[in-house]
Structure formats: C-alpha cells, structure tokens
Amino acid sequence: MPFVSIDVWTIIMQWGNLLILMWLFKKFLFKPVMAILDARNDEIKNIYDEAEAVKKDAEELKNEYDSKLNGARDEAEEIVKFAVKNAKISSDEIISDAQSKAASIVERANEKILIERKKAVNEAKNELSDMALTIAGKVIERQINSYDDKRMIEKFIEELGDVS
C-alpha cells in the first residue's frame, strides 16, 4: 500500500460532494444572505433618497423664507417711505397754517395799531383844539382886534391841520 494513492472514484465523489455543497450553499445560504444584503442596500438607498428629498424641501423652504423676508423688508421700506411722506405733508400743512395765522395776527395787530394811532391823533387834536380855544379865549380877552393874535391863531390852526 502506498503512502499516497490516487483513487479516481474518491476524486469524483469529492467533486460531487463539493458541487452539492456549493449548490446547497447557493440555495440556502448565499441567496438569503444576498437578499438580506440587497434589502439593506435598498433600505440605505431609500434613506439617502429621503435625506436628499428632505434636503431639497429644506432648501425650498429656505428660499421661500428668504423671498418672504425680502418681501417683508420691501414692504416695511414702503411703509416707512409712506409714513415719512405723510409726515412731511402734515408738517408742511402745519407750517403753512402757522404762517397764515401769524400773518393774520400781524395784520390784525397792524390794524389795531392804526386805529390806536388815529385815536391818539384825534385825542391830541381835541386837546390841541381845546387848548387853542382856551388860548384864543385868553387872547380875545386881552385884545380883541389885535392883528398878531389873529395871525398866531391861524398859524396854530394850520399846524393842527398838518398834524392830521
């Protein structure tokens, strides 16, 4: 008996056993393991797809938020411009009203001053007339036919006429 011998039937049986084991492994081990791995790959792919979809939704929401924020800023600027414009119009109206009232007050004050001036002039004329009559009376008492006295009275009356 030799130490190493080759038996053809043993080799064929071993090859047959190997083929049967490979077929059994393929049917009962590799297919389920591959199915599990494929399911895991599909699950991971779905997770990545969902993450990508969530990322796109977030970007869309961010863009929408940014556009709304810009729109709100523009609207706020318009409101401020409108308020400033209305304030300017109101201030112009108040200033014009105040100027017209001030002009009216000045005009009434000038009218009162003229009236008071006329009153003062009339009072002065009345006092001067009274004084002239008093002087005339005294002159008449002193000298009735005096030419100088008559001339002085006429001059006094002319001066009264110039004052008015």
Side-chain angles (χ1 to χ4, degrees), residues 11-130:
I11 292 177
I12 292 175
M13 290 301 264
Q14 284 182 353
W15 275 95
N17 283 337
L18 182 64
L19 288 176
I20 292 171
L21 276 176
M22 284 184 64
W23 178 77
L24 288 173
F25 278 150
K26 183 178 178 186
K27 180 153 179 115
F28 295 109
L29 183 66
F30 290 133
K31 280 189 181 182
V33 169
M34 290 305 285
I36 291 171
L37 289 177
D38 287 342
R40 288 288 221 156
N41 280 340
D42 290 343
E43 186 178 336
I44 291 171
K45 184 180 179 215
N46 288 338
I47 289 172
Y48 278 124
D49 290 344
E50 287 177 14
E52 193 67 33
V54 167
K55 182 179 176 184
K56 284 181 183 178
D57 289 344
E59 286 178 5
E60 288 175 8
L61 288 174
K62 181 185 176 270
N63 290 337
E64 183 179 331
Y65 172 77
D66 287 342
S67 67
K68 285 183 180 180
L69 183 63
N70 289 336
R73 282 185 185 143
D74 294 341
E75 187 176 336
E77 287 177 9
E78 289 299 319
I79 289 170
V80 167
K81 286 179 185 177
F82 182 72
V84 167
K85 181 181 175 184
N86 283 346
K88 175 110 172 83
I89 290 170
S90 294
S91 69
D92 290 344
E93 288 175 0
I94 290 170
I95 289 171
S96 124
D97 187 41
Q99 287 174 341
S100 67
K101 284 181 181 179
S104 169
I105 290 170
V106 167
E107 186 177 322
R108 278 186 273 148
N110 285 336
E111 289 174 2
K112 284 183 181 180
I113 289 171
L114 287 175
I115 290 171
E116 291 298 320
R117 184 179 290 162
K118 286 181 183 178
K119 281 183 186 178
V121 168
N122 287 339
E123 286 176 8
K125 281 183 184 180
N126 289 338
E127 287 179 19
L128 289 175
S129 296
D130 289 341

Side-chain angles (χ1 to χ4, degrees), residues 125-141 153 156-157 160:
K125 281 183 184 180
N126 289 338
E127 287 179 19
L128 289 175
S129 296
D130 289 341
M131 287 173 57
L133 288 175
T134 305
I135 292 172
K138 287 183 182 181
V139 169
I140 290 175
E141 285 176 6
I153 291 172
F156 185 71
I157 291 173
L160 281 178

